Amino acid sequence: MKHELVIVLDFGGQYNQLIARRVREANVYCEVMPYDTPISQLKEKNPKGIIFTGGPSVVYEENAPMVEKELFELGIPILGICYGSQLMGHVLSGEVKKADQREYGKTELTIKSDNPLFDGVTENTTCWMSHTYYISKPPVGFDIIGTTNTCPVAAMANVDKKLYAVQFHPEVNHTPEGTKMLRNFLYNICCCTGDWIMNKLADEQVKLLREKIGDKKVLCALSGGVDSSVAAVMIHKAVGKQLTCIFVDHGLLRKNEGDEVEQIFTEQFDMNLIRVNAQKQFLDKLAGVDDPETKRKIIGEEFIRVFEAEAKKIGKVDYLVQGTIYPDVIESGTKDAAVIKSHHNVGGLPEHVDFKEIIEPLRDLFKDEVRNVGRALDIPEFLVSRQPFPGPGLAIRVIGDITEEKLEILRDADYIFREEIKNAGLDKEIGQYFAVLTNLKSVGVMGDERTYDYTVALRAVSTTDFMTADWSRIPYDVLEKASSRIVNEVKHVNRICYDVTSKPPATIEWE
Ligand code: XMP
């Protein structure tokens, strides 16, 4: 069946796939394409509309990503976001200027509601800004439909030509009415009917995988996290015991986690699972290393080595499954986006495993979409709603160099914090919560004795997409209980801090 299509034209912003996902959530199929896709190719796709994303460039830079003026003359509705809005202003001969200061964060926005984009949006609303340049004068034919204190053209429209531009980011949660605006663009301006249904995806994927794999052998690196578990169960549903899962225990897992993973997948799902106990091997390689990216690299490489050695014992397989999801792809840097962290699950591939092809069934999905796919596959709720855990594990939560002693302290502190969050019934509403062992030691006093011990930081964030996140307002008494239990029950910890930074500007993990 042919779906209605909206194209997201990628100018290298961090939120590009988030825009795509918002469009899919509004039941409209959507593809992200590079900004320099030839116009003929865009026309061939016959899109109902085009969205220009943000990006790190400035329209006046020599190699700034551009589009041809002709694109605006095809009669296809266009919505420009952030850099995309400035680009529209610039190419259509408006004026783009540099502000004295970067405008960043939640901003009051005043809109005019007598246009299809802002239909039903409140006159004084909030939006998320992140820019230095801005449109100072709209092109001829455009009306200003939104302003902020510092941004004279926070939104503009040429209603007749169906061209719209917003300086802010309607796709992020910090723009509370952003979803409404995007829906308005899709339904009021592009005249979409909404013929794309997300929850068909799981069944369709299982069917496609079964056809593709046939009677061939599949190998999967299972970590026990949501992503690799959903990917593995999906393949297991499709081809059963043709799938073998290798679970590398790198010694950087949370308390009791290795045993739990082994038990769930062998007993509950009856999968072929091989557990490799490689704890010592990883710790030896990590000894004395304190740089976060170096840690990731070492773990990524070592993981592949261990995995390869194990895979060799199995012999030739046809397919290799990876639980890569979209944020892994985008945050590891696409063609135009900046590299924030090199997530090891996209960093490297085993060179010495004899396989024909990689399968990444979740590559286009965000975390909460992956969870929904998991539910559609009848994976038990406790596993599906499990908080994400990074591939490098506790290695990026022990700040600085890693030792078994530090890991032990962190495991115990983290276990207590998670237990208290659960006891308080907060585990469902907080997106990710964990302890971090800082490499800061400070002075304390315990039973008349001076102590000089570690500071543990507690981190809890609410987020739907892990691209942006807000720190969780955990009740003080829950924090107090966790804090006093940790200092009392975990040796060598005498101070607890709670992290009150959002993402951005911080990231969720400390490293
Ligand atoms: P950040 O810290 O970048 O985290 O805000 C966003 C999400 O990604 C997870 N994360 C990782 N996952 N390998 C992974 O598989 C990594 O190296 C890595 N670093 C961060 C993090 O836990 C959060 O869910």
Side-chain angles (χ1 to χ4, degrees):
M1 190 188 126
K2 192 112 182 70
H3 300 288
E4 293 168 338
L5 169 72
V6 163
I7 291 174
V8 170
L9 218 46
D10 184 351
F11 290 93
Q14 290 289 325
Y15 301 132
N16 298 355
Q17 282 296 326
L18 191 54
I19 300 173
R21 168 262 177 75
R22 295 281 181 244
V23 175
R24 291 202 298 259
E25 273 176 350
N27 301 119
V28 175
Y29 181 67
C30 169
E31 280 180 26
V32 180
M33 300 181 79
Y35 72 87
D36 52 2
T37 307
I39 290 191
S40 58
Q41 216 172 309
L42 295 175
K43 265 172 40 185
E44 235 167 67
K45 293 236 162 202
N46 193 22
K48 301 286 283 184
I50 299 177
I51 300 178
F52 291 179
T53 74
S57 314
V58 173
V59 287
Y60 297 118
E61 279 169 1
E62 203 178 313
N63 292 322
M66 282 288 147
V67 291
E68 285 164 54
K69 205 171 171 186
E70 189 196 334
L71 189 57
F72 298 99
E73 289 156 7
L74 301 176
I76 303 173
I78 298 178
L79 171 67
I81 295 175
C82 198
Y83 176 78
S85 76
Q86 295 164 15
L87 186 70
M88 188 184 292
H90 178 69
V91 174
L92 297 178
S93 308
E95 201 176 72
V96 175
K97 270 194 182 159
K98 186 178 184 184
D100 296 336
Q101 259 188 340
R102 180 166 176 233
E103 185 182 26
Y104 182 79
K106 284 185 194 171
T107 310
E108 295 287 303
L109 169 74
T110 307
I111 56 112
K112 284 190 188 154
S113 58
D114 60 348
N115 65 81
L117 186 68
F118 291 151
D119 189 23
V121 175
T122 32
E123 207 171 303
N124 293 305
T125 183
T126 303
C127 69
W128 179 261
M129 285 288 195
S130 174
H131 67 111
T132 309
Y133 283 77
Y134 66 102
I135 300 171
S136 48
K137 216 168 94 196
V140 175
F142 278 75
D143 293 317
I144 297 173
I145 57 169
T147 52
T148 70
N149 270 344
T150 51
C151 213
V153 191
M156 64 177 192
N158 184 331
V159 175
D160 291 341
K161 296 208 159 143
K162 302 190 176 184
L163 302 177
Y164 293 79
V166 292
Q167 179 55 65
F168 54 89
H169 289 273
E171 69 277 20
V172 304
N173 289 331
H174 301 306
T175 304
E177 295 190 271
T179 306
K180 199 184 282 173
M181 299 171 193
L182 288 172
R183 277 192 80 91
N184 282 346
F185 177 68
L186 298 170
Y187 286 85
N188 297 351
I189 299 162
C190 303
C191 303
C192 292
T193 58
D195 61 3
W196 170 250
I197 296 162
M198 176 71 203
N199 59 13
K200 276 193 189 154
L201 195 108
D203 288 349
E204 270 181 25
Q205 273 282 37
V206 169
K207 216 172 112 216
L208 283 176
L209 286 166
R210 192 174 292 140
E211 278 164 18
K212 183 185 168 94
I213 297 168
D215 59 359
K216 303 283 191 320
K217 267 165 93 177
V218 191
L219 188 61
C220 173
L222 185 74
S223 71
V226 179
D227 308 339
S228 66
S229 299
V230 172
V233 172
M234 197 178 236
I235 306 282
H236 183 68
K237 274 246 150 86
V239 298
K241 296 245 170 169
Q242 284 161 244
L243 167 73
T244 304
C245 293
I246 296 179
F247 166 47
V248 176
D249 185 346
H250 50 25
L252 304 162
L253 297 170
R254 288 164 291 192
K255 197 172 168 133
N256 304 333
E257 199 170 14
D259 296 342
E260 281 168 16
V261 170
E262 187 176 354
Q263 193 194 356
I264 292 167
F265 288 97
T266 50
E267 290 178 18
Q268 209 165 321
F269 288 104
D270 192 25
M271 281 190 195
N272 283 333
L273 178 92
I274 299 166
R275 175 175 177 178
V276 193
N277 292 311
Q279 294 90 330
K280 186 167 173 335
Q281 198 170 326
F282 277 85
L283 277 191
D284 286 350
K285 288 270 167 186
L286 287 165
V289 177
D290 58 8
D291 174 64
E293 285 300 275
T294 314
K295 287 183 191 176
R296 279 192 173 81
K297 251 184 217 115
I298 290 174
I299 294 166
E301 279 167 19
E302 202 53 29
F303 184 90
I304 287 172
R305 219 160 281 156
V306 174
F307 184 78
E308 281 177 346
E310 206 52 45
K312 222 174 230 163
K313 296 181 194 161
I314 300 173
K316 188 173 165 44
V317 293
D318 301 276
Y319 297 102
L320 183 70
V321 185
Q322 290 214 322
T324 317
I325 70 167
Y326 207 85
D328 302 332
V329 178
I330 185 84
E331 297 224 338
S332 293
T334 54
K335 193 172 74 170
D336 299 297
V339 174
I340 311 291
K341 296 180 185 187
S342 58
H343 292 192
H344 92 247
N345 42 359
V346 254
L349 285 176
E351 284 169 23
H352 304 291
V353 172
D354 202 0
F355 67 92
K356 207 169 73 187
E357 204 183 320
I358 295 265
I359 309 182
E360 292 176 316
L362 312 174
R363 200 182 160 89
D364 294 332
L365 303 181
F366 279 84
K367 197 70 165 203
D368 53 335
E369 293 178 317
V370 172
R371 291 190 209 279
N372 284 336
V373 169
R375 288 184 183 106
L377 289 168
D378 299 323
I379 299 179
E381 187 58 33
F382 78 91
L383 194 59
V384 168
S385 58
R386 193 173 184 177
Q387 59 165 319
F389 185 64
L394 301 185
I396 54 166
R397 293 180 182 172
V398 168
I399 309 305
D401 71 310
I402 302 162
T403 62
E404 185 51 49
E405 189 207 15
K406 288 182 184 174
L407 284 171
E408 205 55 46
I409 294 172
L410 178 58
R411 262 188 217 112
D412 287 340
D414 180 68
Y415 187 79
I416 293 171
F417 182 45
R418 287 189 292 124
E419 197 166 64
E420 287 308 322
I421 291 287
K422 194 153 191 237
N423 288 345
L426 296 171
D427 52 327
K428 289 275 182 297
E429 67 195 64
I430 301 177
Q432 202 169 0
Y433 49 99
F434 52 88
V436 173
L437 185 67
T438 73
N439 53 2
L440 174 80
K441 280 190 169 184
S442 72
V443 176
V445 53
M446 225 175 191
D448 296 334
E449 291 285 333
R450 175 189 192 270
T451 58
Y452 187 60
D453 275 325
Y454 284 109
T455 299
V456 162
L458 303 179
R459 179 73 161 146
V461 294
S462 59
T463 173
T464 49
D465 49 51
F466 297 84
M467 306 284 275
T468 61
D470 201 5
W471 62 276
S472 300
R473 272 60 168 175
I474 294 178
Y476 282 165
D477 53 350
V478 178
L479 285 175
E480 192 206 328
K481 183 104 188 274
S483 164
S484 72
R485 272 194 65 195
I486 294 170
V487 286
N488 281 312
E489 294 173 34
V490 185
K491 261 204 195 128
H492 303 300
V493 178
N494 68 355
R495 195 179 292 273
I496 311 290
C497 293
Y498 186 56
D499 183 346
V500 290
T501 22
S502 295
K503 173 185 181 178
T507 52
I508 296 173
E509 304 287 349
W510 276 37
E511 285 199 335

